[in-house]
Short mmCIF file of all heavy atoms in Angstrom, two decimals:
data_model
loop_
_atom_site.label_atom_id
_atom_site.label_comp_id
_atom_site.label_asym_id
_atom_site.label_seq_id
_atom_site.Cartn_x
_atom_site.Cartn_y
_atom_site.Cartn_z
N MET U 1216 17.96 25.18 -21.59
CA MET U 1216 17.25 24.13 -22.29
C MET U 1216 17.63 24.05 -23.79
O MET U 1216 17.77 25.12 -24.39
CB MET U 1216 15.70 24.42 -22.09
CG MET U 1216 14.86 23.13 -22.32
SD MET U 1216 13.08 23.48 -22.02
CE MET U 1216 12.40 21.93 -22.41
N ARG U 1217 17.71 22.85 -24.26
CA ARG U 1217 18.15 22.75 -25.58
C ARG U 1217 16.88 22.29 -26.55
O ARG U 1217 15.99 21.53 -26.00
CB ARG U 1217 19.17 21.69 -25.65
CG ARG U 1217 20.50 22.03 -25.02
CD ARG U 1217 21.48 22.65 -25.98
NE ARG U 1217 22.57 23.14 -25.22
CZ ARG U 1217 23.25 24.21 -25.63
NH1 ARG U 1217 22.83 24.85 -26.58
NH2 ARG U 1217 24.19 24.66 -24.84
N CYS U 1218 16.89 22.61 -27.69
CA CYS U 1218 15.86 22.21 -28.71
C CYS U 1218 15.88 20.76 -28.89
O CYS U 1218 16.95 20.15 -28.81
CB CYS U 1218 16.12 22.90 -30.02
SG CYS U 1218 15.08 22.30 -31.35
N LYS U 1219 14.63 20.18 -28.96
CA LYS U 1219 14.58 18.67 -29.19
C LYS U 1219 15.01 18.22 -30.49
O LYS U 1219 15.48 17.01 -30.56
CB LYS U 1219 13.07 18.29 -28.99
CG LYS U 1219 12.57 18.31 -27.60
CD LYS U 1219 11.10 18.09 -27.59
CE LYS U 1219 10.72 16.58 -27.42
NZ LYS U 1219 9.27 16.51 -27.29
N CYS U 1220 15.18 19.08 -31.47
CA CYS U 1220 15.77 18.73 -32.77
C CYS U 1220 17.09 18.98 -33.01
O CYS U 1220 17.79 18.40 -33.80
CB CYS U 1220 14.83 19.38 -33.86
SG CYS U 1220 13.20 18.75 -33.85
N CYS U 1221 17.62 20.13 -32.52
CA CYS U 1221 19.08 20.40 -32.72
C CYS U 1221 19.52 20.95 -31.32
O CYS U 1221 18.97 20.76 -30.33
CB CYS U 1221 19.01 21.57 -33.70
SG CYS U 1221 18.16 23.05 -33.20
N SER U 1222 20.88 21.42 -31.33
CA SER U 1222 21.39 21.73 -30.05
C SER U 1222 21.36 23.21 -29.73
O SER U 1222 22.06 23.64 -28.77
CB SER U 1222 22.83 21.36 -30.07
OG SER U 1222 23.56 21.70 -31.17
N ARG U 1223 20.38 23.87 -30.53
CA ARG U 1223 20.30 25.30 -30.19
C ARG U 1223 19.67 25.57 -28.87
O ARG U 1223 18.82 24.78 -28.41
CB ARG U 1223 19.46 25.98 -31.24
CG ARG U 1223 20.26 26.28 -32.64
CD ARG U 1223 19.47 27.02 -33.56
NE ARG U 1223 20.11 27.05 -34.84
CZ ARG U 1223 19.98 25.98 -35.69
NH1 ARG U 1223 19.28 24.94 -35.42
NH2 ARG U 1223 20.56 26.06 -36.87
N GLU U 1224 19.96 26.74 -28.41
CA GLU U 1224 19.31 27.23 -27.12
C GLU U 1224 17.82 27.43 -27.42
O GLU U 1224 17.44 27.95 -28.46
CB GLU U 1224 19.89 28.49 -26.64
CG GLU U 1224 19.68 28.76 -25.24
CD GLU U 1224 20.18 27.83 -24.21
OE1 GLU U 1224 21.39 27.33 -24.50
OE2 GLU U 1224 19.51 27.59 -23.28
N ALA U 1225 16.93 26.81 -26.56
CA ALA U 1225 15.47 27.00 -26.71
C ALA U 1225 14.78 27.33 -25.47
O ALA U 1225 15.19 26.99 -24.21
CB ALA U 1225 14.97 25.63 -27.30
N ARG U 1226 13.72 28.07 -25.50
CA ARG U 1226 12.98 28.58 -24.43
C ARG U 1226 11.99 27.40 -23.90
O ARG U 1226 11.73 27.13 -22.81
CB ARG U 1226 12.29 29.84 -24.63
CG ARG U 1226 12.60 30.93 -23.68
CD ARG U 1226 12.01 32.20 -24.03
NE ARG U 1226 12.74 33.05 -24.88
CZ ARG U 1226 12.26 34.09 -25.60
NH1 ARG U 1226 10.95 34.38 -25.49
NH2 ARG U 1226 13.06 34.82 -26.28
N ASN U 1227 11.50 26.70 -25.00
CA ASN U 1227 10.60 25.60 -24.75
C ASN U 1227 11.17 24.37 -25.24
O ASN U 1227 12.29 24.17 -25.18
CB ASN U 1227 9.23 25.93 -25.25
CG ASN U 1227 8.59 27.13 -24.56
OD1 ASN U 1227 8.45 27.14 -23.29
ND2 ASN U 1227 8.14 28.12 -25.24
N GLU U 1228 10.29 23.61 -25.75
CA GLU U 1228 10.76 22.31 -26.41
C GLU U 1228 11.60 22.59 -27.68
O GLU U 1228 12.63 21.79 -27.90
CB GLU U 1228 9.63 21.45 -26.77
CG GLU U 1228 8.81 20.81 -25.72
CD GLU U 1228 7.71 19.94 -26.16
OE1 GLU U 1228 6.79 20.52 -26.75
OE2 GLU U 1228 7.71 18.81 -25.99
N TYR U 1229 11.29 23.54 -28.44
CA TYR U 1229 11.92 23.79 -29.71
C TYR U 1229 12.65 25.18 -29.77
O TYR U 1229 12.13 26.10 -29.05
CB TYR U 1229 10.99 23.63 -30.84
CG TYR U 1229 10.34 22.29 -30.93
CD1 TYR U 1229 9.00 22.08 -30.61
CD2 TYR U 1229 11.12 21.06 -31.33
CE1 TYR U 1229 8.40 20.77 -30.67
CE2 TYR U 1229 10.56 19.90 -31.44
CZ TYR U 1229 9.20 19.72 -31.11
OH TYR U 1229 8.59 18.45 -31.15
N CYS U 1230 13.73 25.27 -30.57
CA CYS U 1230 14.24 26.57 -30.92
C CYS U 1230 13.27 27.25 -31.72
O CYS U 1230 12.26 26.80 -32.22
CB CYS U 1230 15.55 26.34 -31.47
SG CYS U 1230 15.48 25.72 -33.07
N GLU U 1231 13.50 28.63 -32.04
CA GLU U 1231 12.59 29.40 -32.88
C GLU U 1231 12.28 28.78 -34.20
O GLU U 1231 11.16 28.76 -34.63
CB GLU U 1231 13.13 30.81 -33.02
CG GLU U 1231 13.04 31.64 -31.82
CD GLU U 1231 11.64 31.97 -31.40
OE1 GLU U 1231 10.74 32.20 -32.19
OE2 GLU U 1231 11.33 31.65 -30.19
N LEU U 1232 13.40 28.27 -34.86
CA LEU U 1232 13.15 27.69 -36.26
C LEU U 1232 12.35 26.45 -36.18
O LEU U 1232 11.54 26.26 -36.99
CB LEU U 1232 14.57 27.40 -36.86
CG LEU U 1232 15.31 28.68 -37.24
CD1 LEU U 1232 16.87 28.40 -37.36
CD2 LEU U 1232 14.73 29.21 -38.49
N HIS U 1233 12.60 25.58 -35.15
CA HIS U 1233 11.89 24.33 -35.20
C HIS U 1233 10.48 24.56 -34.66
O HIS U 1233 9.58 23.70 -34.92
CB HIS U 1233 12.57 23.30 -34.35
CG HIS U 1233 13.66 22.60 -35.16
ND1 HIS U 1233 15.07 22.73 -34.83
CD2 HIS U 1233 13.63 21.91 -36.22
CE1 HIS U 1233 15.80 22.15 -35.63
NE2 HIS U 1233 15.00 21.45 -36.64
N LYS U 1234 10.30 25.58 -33.87
CA LYS U 1234 8.94 25.90 -33.37
C LYS U 1234 8.15 26.40 -34.49
O LYS U 1234 7.03 25.88 -34.61
CB LYS U 1234 9.01 26.98 -32.21
CG LYS U 1234 7.83 27.22 -31.43
CD LYS U 1234 8.13 28.16 -30.28
CE LYS U 1234 8.08 29.54 -30.73
NZ LYS U 1234 8.40 30.42 -29.61
N LYS U 1235 8.68 27.11 -35.37
CA LYS U 1235 7.98 27.59 -36.49
C LYS U 1235 7.55 26.37 -37.47
O LYS U 1235 6.57 26.30 -38.01
CB LYS U 1235 8.77 28.63 -37.42
CG LYS U 1235 8.53 30.06 -36.95
CD LYS U 1235 9.14 30.90 -37.95
CE LYS U 1235 9.48 32.24 -37.13
NZ LYS U 1235 10.60 32.96 -37.74
N ALA U 1236 8.61 25.51 -37.60
CA ALA U 1236 8.33 24.33 -38.37
C ALA U 1236 7.27 23.39 -37.86
O ALA U 1236 6.42 22.90 -38.50
CB ALA U 1236 9.71 23.57 -38.56
N TYR U 1237 7.32 23.34 -36.54
CA TYR U 1237 6.31 22.47 -35.84
C TYR U 1237 4.96 23.09 -36.00
O TYR U 1237 3.94 22.37 -36.32
CB TYR U 1237 6.69 22.49 -34.32
CG TYR U 1237 5.65 21.65 -33.52
CD1 TYR U 1237 5.47 20.26 -33.65
CD2 TYR U 1237 4.78 22.36 -32.73
CE1 TYR U 1237 4.56 19.59 -32.84
CE2 TYR U 1237 3.91 21.61 -31.87
CZ TYR U 1237 3.73 20.26 -32.01
OH TYR U 1237 2.79 19.61 -31.22
N ALA U 1238 4.89 24.39 -35.81
CA ALA U 1238 3.44 25.04 -36.08
C ALA U 1238 2.97 24.87 -37.47
O ALA U 1238 1.77 24.54 -37.64
CB ALA U 1238 3.68 26.57 -35.86
N SER U 1239 3.83 24.91 -38.49
CA SER U 1239 3.27 24.59 -39.76
C SER U 1239 2.96 23.17 -40.16
O SER U 1239 2.05 22.85 -40.86
CB SER U 1239 4.25 25.21 -40.87
OG SER U 1239 5.40 24.29 -41.03
N VAL U 1240 3.71 22.24 -39.42
CA VAL U 1240 3.38 20.84 -39.58
C VAL U 1240 2.04 20.54 -38.99
O VAL U 1240 1.13 19.96 -39.63
CB VAL U 1240 4.35 19.95 -38.77
CG1 VAL U 1240 3.88 18.56 -38.59
CG2 VAL U 1240 5.72 19.94 -39.63
N VAL U 1241 1.74 21.16 -37.81
CA VAL U 1241 0.44 21.01 -37.15
C VAL U 1241 -0.70 21.62 -37.99
O VAL U 1241 -1.82 21.01 -38.21
CB VAL U 1241 0.39 21.56 -35.73
CG1 VAL U 1241 -0.94 21.65 -35.10
CG2 VAL U 1241 1.37 20.73 -34.78
N GLN U 1242 -0.35 22.77 -38.53
CA GLN U 1242 -1.39 23.49 -39.30
C GLN U 1242 -1.74 22.79 -40.57
O GLN U 1242 -2.89 22.67 -40.97
CB GLN U 1242 -0.72 24.86 -39.65
CG GLN U 1242 -1.84 25.94 -40.12
CD GLN U 1242 -1.08 27.18 -40.45
OE1 GLN U 1242 0.11 27.24 -40.71
NE2 GLN U 1242 -1.86 28.27 -40.66
N LYS U 1243 -0.76 22.21 -41.29
CA LYS U 1243 -0.97 21.42 -42.43
C LYS U 1243 -1.75 20.13 -42.13
O LYS U 1243 -2.53 19.66 -42.97
CB LYS U 1243 0.31 21.06 -43.15
CG LYS U 1243 0.86 22.15 -44.09
CD LYS U 1243 1.98 21.74 -44.94
CE LYS U 1243 2.69 22.82 -45.56
NZ LYS U 1243 4.13 22.82 -45.21
N PHE U 1244 -1.55 19.56 -41.09
CA PHE U 1244 -2.30 18.30 -40.62
C PHE U 1244 -3.81 18.71 -40.58
O PHE U 1244 -4.55 17.88 -40.91
CB PHE U 1244 -1.71 17.78 -39.26
CG PHE U 1244 -2.43 16.56 -38.82
CD1 PHE U 1244 -2.43 15.41 -39.76
CD2 PHE U 1244 -3.20 16.49 -37.64
CE1 PHE U 1244 -3.15 14.32 -39.37
CE2 PHE U 1244 -3.77 15.33 -37.20
CZ PHE U 1244 -3.76 14.31 -38.08
N GLU U 1245 -4.14 19.89 -40.01
CA GLU U 1245 -5.57 20.21 -39.97
C GLU U 1245 -6.27 20.10 -41.34
O GLU U 1245 -7.35 19.70 -41.37
CB GLU U 1245 -5.69 21.62 -39.39
CG GLU U 1245 -5.32 21.70 -37.89
CD GLU U 1245 -6.18 20.86 -37.02
OE1 GLU U 1245 -7.38 20.91 -37.19
OE2 GLU U 1245 -5.69 20.13 -35.99
N ILE U 1246 -5.42 20.55 -42.29
CA ILE U 1246 -5.98 20.52 -43.71
C ILE U 1246 -6.06 19.09 -44.19
O ILE U 1246 -6.99 18.57 -44.74
CB ILE U 1246 -5.10 21.38 -44.71
CG1 ILE U 1246 -5.08 22.82 -44.15
CG2 ILE U 1246 -5.67 21.37 -46.03
CD1 ILE U 1246 -3.93 23.67 -44.63
N TRP U 1247 -5.02 18.36 -44.09
CA TRP U 1247 -4.83 16.96 -44.42
C TRP U 1247 -5.94 16.17 -43.86
O TRP U 1247 -6.50 15.25 -44.51
CB TRP U 1247 -3.53 16.37 -44.04
CG TRP U 1247 -2.48 16.52 -45.07
CD1 TRP U 1247 -1.98 17.74 -45.66
CD2 TRP U 1247 -1.58 15.54 -45.74
NE1 TRP U 1247 -1.04 17.41 -46.54
CE2 TRP U 1247 -0.81 16.13 -46.53
CE3 TRP U 1247 -1.53 14.08 -45.64
CZ2 TRP U 1247 0.09 15.35 -47.20
CZ3 TRP U 1247 -0.78 13.35 -46.17
CH2 TRP U 1247 0.16 14.00 -47.19
N LYS U 1248 -6.15 16.28 -42.56
CA LYS U 1248 -7.15 15.54 -41.86
C LYS U 1248 -8.57 15.55 -42.42
O LYS U 1248 -9.41 14.56 -42.56
CB LYS U 1248 -7.29 16.21 -40.43
CG LYS U 1248 -7.36 15.21 -39.31
CD LYS U 1248 -7.23 15.78 -37.94
CE LYS U 1248 -7.80 16.98 -37.72
NZ LYS U 1248 -7.59 17.48 -36.33
N HIS U 1249 -8.77 16.84 -42.96
CA HIS U 1249 -10.10 16.92 -43.66
C HIS U 1249 -10.13 16.42 -45.08
O HIS U 1249 -11.11 15.87 -45.52
CB HIS U 1249 -10.64 18.45 -43.58
CG HIS U 1249 -10.76 18.88 -42.28
ND1 HIS U 1249 -11.90 18.43 -41.46
CD2 HIS U 1249 -10.14 19.88 -41.42
CE1 HIS U 1249 -11.74 19.03 -40.26
NE2 HIS U 1249 -10.75 19.92 -40.30
N ALA U 1250 -9.01 16.51 -45.77
CA ALA U 1250 -8.94 16.19 -47.22
C ALA U 1250 -8.78 14.58 -47.25
O ALA U 1250 -9.38 14.01 -48.20
CB ALA U 1250 -7.76 16.81 -47.79
N ALA U 1251 -7.98 14.04 -46.34
CA ALA U 1251 -7.75 12.63 -46.43
C ALA U 1251 -7.89 12.03 -45.08
O ALA U 1251 -7.60 12.74 -44.12
CB ALA U 1251 -6.33 12.27 -47.15
N ASP U 1252 -8.20 10.79 -44.96
CA ASP U 1252 -8.37 10.07 -43.72
C ASP U 1252 -6.98 9.59 -43.23
O ASP U 1252 -6.69 8.43 -43.24
CB ASP U 1252 -9.40 9.05 -43.88
CG ASP U 1252 -9.93 8.57 -42.50
OD1 ASP U 1252 -9.71 9.28 -41.51
OD2 ASP U 1252 -10.47 7.51 -42.36
N VAL U 1253 -6.26 10.47 -42.76
CA VAL U 1253 -4.87 10.10 -42.29
C VAL U 1253 -4.77 10.32 -40.74
O VAL U 1253 -5.29 11.26 -40.18
CB VAL U 1253 -3.82 10.69 -43.00
CG1 VAL U 1253 -3.64 10.11 -44.41
CG2 VAL U 1253 -3.91 12.24 -43.02
N SER U 1254 -4.07 9.48 -40.17
CA SER U 1254 -3.77 9.71 -38.73
C SER U 1254 -2.51 10.50 -38.66
O SER U 1254 -1.79 10.78 -39.60
CB SER U 1254 -3.38 8.20 -38.09
OG SER U 1254 -2.20 7.79 -38.43
N TRP U 1255 -2.25 11.03 -37.36
CA TRP U 1255 -1.13 11.93 -37.21
C TRP U 1255 0.17 11.22 -37.52
O TRP U 1255 1.02 11.79 -38.17
CB TRP U 1255 -1.18 12.37 -35.71
CG TRP U 1255 -0.08 13.14 -35.08
CD1 TRP U 1255 0.60 12.73 -34.01
CD2 TRP U 1255 0.39 14.44 -35.53
NE1 TRP U 1255 1.62 13.70 -33.72
CE2 TRP U 1255 1.43 14.76 -34.66
CE3 TRP U 1255 0.02 15.29 -36.47
CZ2 TRP U 1255 2.19 15.94 -34.80
CZ3 TRP U 1255 0.77 16.49 -36.54
CH2 TRP U 1255 1.81 16.89 -35.80
N GLU U 1256 0.29 9.96 -37.14
CA GLU U 1256 1.48 9.17 -37.43
C GLU U 1256 1.73 8.95 -38.88
O GLU U 1256 2.81 9.06 -39.37
CB GLU U 1256 1.31 7.92 -36.71
CG GLU U 1256 2.63 7.37 -36.12
CD GLU U 1256 2.52 6.32 -35.14
OE1 GLU U 1256 1.43 6.26 -34.46
OE2 GLU U 1256 3.30 5.54 -34.99
N GLN U 1257 0.63 8.64 -39.62
CA GLN U 1257 0.78 8.42 -41.18
C GLN U 1257 1.14 9.73 -41.76
O GLN U 1257 2.02 9.87 -42.62
CB GLN U 1257 -0.56 8.12 -41.70
CG GLN U 1257 -1.00 6.66 -41.50
CD GLN U 1257 -2.39 6.36 -41.85
OE1 GLN U 1257 -3.39 7.13 -41.59
NE2 GLN U 1257 -2.65 5.21 -42.57
N TYR U 1258 0.66 10.88 -41.30
CA TYR U 1258 0.91 12.15 -41.81
C TYR U 1258 2.41 12.43 -41.49
O TYR U 1258 3.13 12.92 -42.40
CB TYR U 1258 0.06 13.23 -41.10
CG TYR U 1258 0.49 14.61 -41.33
CD1 TYR U 1258 0.21 15.28 -42.51
CD2 TYR U 1258 0.92 15.36 -40.33
CE1 TYR U 1258 0.69 16.50 -42.80
CE2 TYR U 1258 1.26 16.70 -40.44
CZ TYR U 1258 1.19 17.25 -41.69
OH TYR U 1258 1.49 18.58 -41.86
N LEU U 1259 2.92 12.25 -40.30
CA LEU U 1259 4.31 12.46 -40.09
C LEU U 1259 5.17 11.59 -40.95
O LEU U 1259 6.25 12.15 -41.33
CB LEU U 1259 4.60 12.10 -38.50
CG LEU U 1259 3.97 13.07 -37.52
CD1 LEU U 1259 4.21 12.66 -36.15
CD2 LEU U 1259 4.43 14.54 -37.77
N ASN U 1260 4.84 10.31 -41.28
CA ASN U 1260 5.67 9.56 -42.12
C ASN U 1260 5.66 10.08 -43.51
O ASN U 1260 6.62 9.97 -44.13
CB ASN U 1260 4.99 8.14 -42.02
CG ASN U 1260 5.52 7.21 -40.85
OD1 ASN U 1260 6.78 7.17 -40.76
ND2 ASN U 1260 4.61 6.66 -40.10
N GLU U 1261 4.49 10.60 -43.89
CA GLU U 1261 4.49 11.19 -45.24
C GLU U 1261 5.38 12.42 -45.33
O GLU U 1261 6.10 12.61 -46.34
CB GLU U 1261 3.07 11.66 -45.59
CG GLU U 1261 2.11 10.62 -45.86
CD GLU U 1261 2.56 9.67 -47.07
OE1 GLU U 1261 2.99 10.29 -48.12
OE2 GLU U 1261 2.55 8.50 -47.01
N ILE U 1262 5.42 13.18 -44.31
CA ILE U 1262 6.28 14.29 -44.25
C ILE U 1262 7.85 13.85 -44.41
O ILE U 1262 8.60 14.46 -45.16
CB ILE U 1262 6.16 15.19 -42.97
CG1 ILE U 1262 4.90 15.82 -42.95
CG2 ILE U 1262 7.30 16.21 -42.75
CD1 ILE U 1262 4.60 16.67 -41.74
N VAL U 1263 8.25 12.88 -43.65
CA VAL U 1263 9.55 12.38 -43.62
C VAL U 1263 9.99 11.86 -44.93
O VAL U 1263 11.10 12.00 -45.40
CB VAL U 1263 9.77 11.30 -42.48
CG1 VAL U 1263 11.12 10.68 -42.51
CG2 VAL U 1263 9.58 11.91 -41.12
N LYS U 1264 8.95 11.19 -45.63
CA LYS U 1264 9.34 10.58 -46.95
C LYS U 1264 9.25 11.57 -48.11
O LYS U 1264 9.96 11.35 -49.16
CB LYS U 1264 8.20 9.53 -47.21
CG LYS U 1264 8.56 8.14 -46.56
CD LYS U 1264 7.62 7.10 -47.11
CE LYS U 1264 6.21 7.25 -46.65
NZ LYS U 1264 5.18 6.22 -47.14
N ASN U 1265 8.48 12.59 -47.93
CA ASN U 1265 8.39 13.61 -49.02
C ASN U 1265 9.55 14.37 -49.24
O ASN U 1265 10.16 15.11 -48.45
CB ASN U 1265 7.21 14.57 -48.58
CG ASN U 1265 6.72 15.50 -49.78
OD1 ASN U 1265 7.49 15.61 -50.67
ND2 ASN U 1265 5.50 15.81 -49.67
N PRO U 1266 10.10 14.35 -50.54
CA PRO U 1266 11.41 15.03 -50.86
C PRO U 1266 11.24 16.53 -50.98
O PRO U 1266 12.19 17.20 -50.94
CB PRO U 1266 11.76 14.35 -52.22
CG PRO U 1266 10.53 13.88 -52.85
CD PRO U 1266 9.60 13.38 -51.62
N PHE U 1267 9.92 16.93 -50.91
CA PHE U 1267 9.72 18.31 -51.05
C PHE U 1267 9.45 19.07 -49.68
O PHE U 1267 9.33 20.28 -49.64
CB PHE U 1267 8.44 18.70 -51.96
CG PHE U 1267 8.66 18.16 -53.30
CD1 PHE U 1267 7.89 16.99 -53.68
CD2 PHE U 1267 9.49 18.69 -54.19
CE1 PHE U 1267 8.06 16.39 -55.05
CE2 PHE U 1267 9.66 18.19 -55.48
CZ PHE U 1267 8.93 17.08 -55.89
N THR U 1268 9.49 18.16 -48.65
CA THR U 1268 9.38 18.86 -47.27
C THR U 1268 10.66 19.49 -46.97
O THR U 1268 11.72 19.12 -47.26
CB THR U 1268 9.06 17.74 -46.23
OG1 THR U 1268 7.99 16.84 -46.72
CG2 THR U 1268 8.82 18.25 -44.81
N GLY U 1269 10.45 20.72 -46.32
CA GLY U 1269 11.69 21.55 -45.91
C GLY U 1269 12.45 20.68 -44.78
O GLY U 1269 11.79 19.82 -44.07
N ALA U 1270 13.64 20.92 -44.65
CA ALA U 1270 14.52 20.17 -43.69
C ALA U 1270 14.03 20.43 -42.32
O ALA U 1270 14.03 19.54 -41.50
CB ALA U 1270 16.01 20.79 -43.91
N TRP U 1271 13.53 21.60 -41.89
CA TRP U 1271 13.11 21.93 -40.54
C TRP U 1271 11.98 21.06 -40.16
O TRP U 1271 11.93 20.46 -39.06
CB TRP U 1271 12.91 23.37 -40.34
CG TRP U 1271 13.95 24.23 -40.68
CD1 TRP U 1271 14.13 25.10 -41.75
CD2 TRP U 1271 15.18 24.42 -39.83
NE1 TRP U 1271 15.29 25.76 -41.73
CE2 TRP U 1271 15.97 25.40 -40.52
CE3 TRP U 1271 15.60 24.00 -38.56
CZ2 TRP U 1271 17.13 25.87 -39.94
CZ3 TRP U 1271 16.85 24.37 -38.05
CH2 TRP U 1271 17.57 25.30 -38.80
N ALA U 1272 10.99 21.02 -41.14
CA ALA U 1272 9.71 20.30 -40.84
C ALA U 1272 10.11 18.81 -40.77
O ALA U 1272 9.43 18.08 -39.93
CB ALA U 1272 8.72 20.60 -41.96
N LYS U 1273 11.01 18.29 -41.62
CA LYS U 1273 11.38 16.92 -41.63
C LYS U 1273 11.95 16.54 -40.27
O LYS U 1273 11.66 15.48 -39.70
CB LYS U 1273 12.30 16.65 -42.79
CG LYS U 1273 12.26 15.23 -43.28
CD LYS U 1273 13.12 15.13 -44.43
CE LYS U 1273 12.31 15.29 -45.68
NZ LYS U 1273 13.09 14.79 -46.94
N GLU U 1274 12.80 17.44 -39.76
CA GLU U 1274 13.45 17.13 -38.40
C GLU U 1274 12.47 17.02 -37.36
O GLU U 1274 12.50 16.19 -36.46
CB GLU U 1274 14.47 18.21 -38.13
CG GLU U 1274 15.72 18.01 -38.93
CD GLU U 1274 16.83 19.23 -38.81
OE1 GLU U 1274 16.68 19.97 -37.90
OE2 GLU U 1274 17.63 19.28 -39.66
N VAL U 1275 11.53 18.05 -37.39
CA VAL U 1275 10.49 17.99 -36.40
C VAL U 1275 9.61 16.72 -36.41
O VAL U 1275 9.39 16.07 -35.47
CB VAL U 1275 9.52 19.30 -36.57
CG1 VAL U 1275 8.28 19.06 -35.68
CG2 VAL U 1275 10.26 20.46 -36.15
N ALA U 1276 9.21 16.26 -37.76
CA ALA U 1276 8.45 15.10 -37.84
C ALA U 1276 9.16 13.90 -37.49
O ALA U 1276 8.59 12.95 -36.74
CB ALA U 1276 8.03 14.88 -39.31
N GLU U 1277 10.43 13.74 -37.71
CA GLU U 1277 11.19 12.72 -37.20
C GLU U 1277 11.37 12.59 -35.68
O GLU U 1277 11.26 11.49 -35.06
CB GLU U 1277 12.74 12.76 -37.79
CG GLU U 1277 12.86 12.18 -39.24
CD GLU U 1277 14.09 12.55 -39.92
OE1 GLU U 1277 14.94 13.23 -39.39
OE2 GLU U 1277 14.31 12.10 -41.17
N ARG U 1278 11.49 13.69 -35.12
CA ARG U 1278 11.63 13.83 -33.74
C ARG U 1278 10.22 13.38 -33.06
O ARG U 1278 10.19 12.65 -32.09
CB ARG U 1278 11.84 15.33 -33.38
CG ARG U 1278 11.94 15.56 -31.85
CD ARG U 1278 13.22 15.14 -31.23
NE ARG U 1278 12.93 14.04 -30.42
CZ ARG U 1278 13.86 13.20 -29.93
NH1 ARG U 1278 15.15 13.27 -30.44
NH2 ARG U 1278 13.61 12.16 -29.24
N LEU U 1279 9.15 13.83 -33.59
CA LEU U 1279 7.77 13.48 -33.04
C LEU U 1279 7.58 11.89 -33.26
O LEU U 1279 6.93 11.32 -32.37
CB LEU U 1279 6.75 14.24 -33.90
CG LEU U 1279 6.72 15.84 -33.54
CD1 LEU U 1279 5.67 16.52 -34.45
CD2 LEU U 1279 6.18 15.93 -32.10
N LEU U 1280 8.04 11.42 -34.32
CA LEU U 1280 7.84 9.88 -34.55
C LEU U 1280 8.66 9.18 -33.56
O LEU U 1280 8.38 8.20 -32.99
CB LEU U 1280 8.19 9.59 -36.06
CG LEU U 1280 7.14 9.93 -37.06
CD1 LEU U 1280 7.76 9.68 -38.46
CD2 LEU U 1280 5.90 8.95 -36.87
N LYS U 1281 9.84 9.68 -33.26
CA LYS U 1281 10.85 8.96 -32.26
C LYS U 1281 10.20 9.02 -30.91
O LYS U 1281 10.23 8.09 -30.16
CB LYS U 1281 12.18 9.58 -32.48
CG LYS U 1281 13.11 8.99 -33.38
CD LYS U 1281 14.50 9.60 -33.26
CE LYS U 1281 15.20 9.34 -34.49
NZ LYS U 1281 15.96 10.58 -34.99
N ASP U 1282 9.54 10.19 -30.65
CA ASP U 1282 9.03 10.39 -29.31
C ASP U 1282 7.82 9.32 -29.08
O ASP U 1282 7.54 8.94 -27.94
CB ASP U 1282 8.35 11.66 -29.13
CG ASP U 1282 9.56 12.74 -28.89
OD1 ASP U 1282 10.64 12.28 -28.61
OD2 ASP U 1282 9.19 13.92 -28.87
N LYS U 1283 7.09 8.85 -30.21
CA LYS U 1283 6.12 8.04 -30.08
C LYS U 1283 6.47 6.53 -29.76
O LYS U 1283 5.79 5.80 -29.30
CB LYS U 1283 5.19 7.99 -31.42
CG LYS U 1283 4.38 9.16 -31.53
CD LYS U 1283 3.32 8.93 -32.52
CE LYS U 1283 2.01 9.70 -32.24
NZ LYS U 1283 0.76 8.96 -32.43
N GLU U 1284 7.65 6.30 -30.03
CA GLU U 1284 8.16 4.88 -29.94
C GLU U 1284 8.33 4.46 -28.57
O GLU U 1284 8.64 5.21 -27.66
CB GLU U 1284 9.55 4.68 -30.66
CG GLU U 1284 9.25 4.43 -32.15
CD GLU U 1284 10.65 4.68 -32.98
OE1 GLU U 1284 11.74 4.62 -32.35
OE2 GLU U 1284 10.57 4.69 -34.22
ZN1 LIG Q 1300 15.97 23.44 -33.19
#
């Protein structure tokens, strides 16, 4: 099985690096959700647009947005 974000070998949907990035994306959303009234999709868009987002998290967010289409 291949990672959904890159071509690395993965045990599940994501490789180790993207799995970690995904976990932190989800974790941060929990905080955002309480601080601001944002939807999951709005939040993902913010991640993609934010120049300070790490490359891994950005790739995960882009992937999740594409999956929604
Ligand atoms: Zn990956």
Side-chain angles (χ1 to χ4, degrees):
M1216 201 173 176
R1217 298 263 171 214
C1218 173
K1219 283 171 97 176
C1220 290
C1221 61
S1222 53
R1223 281 185 194 82
E1224 198 61 41
R1226 241 178 264 165
N1227 295 306
E1228 285 181 297
Y1229 300 109
C1230 66
E1231 282 303 309
L1232 289 160
H1233 281 116
K1234 197 168 76 182
K1235 268 187 206 153
Y1237 177 72
S1239 75
V1240 163
V1241 171
Q1242 200 182 13
K1243 274 191 199 127
F1244 180 60
E1245 289 301 314
I1246 301 161
W1247 268 58
K1248 221 168 39 176
H1249 295 293
D1252 194 18
V1253 287
S1254 70
W1255 174 236
E1256 219 165 327
Q1257 283 172 318
Y1258 169 71
L1259 291 176
N1260 276 308
E1261 285 303 315
I1262 289 180
V1263 173
K1264 278 190 291 180
N1265 191 335
F1267 301 107
T1268 308
W1271 300 106
K1273 205 171 268 189
E1274 281 171 19
V1275 168
E1277 276 169 358
R1278 180 75 253 162
L1279 290 166
L1280 282 168
K1281 272 186 201 135
D1282 282 351
K1283 282 201 149 220
E1284 278 165 13

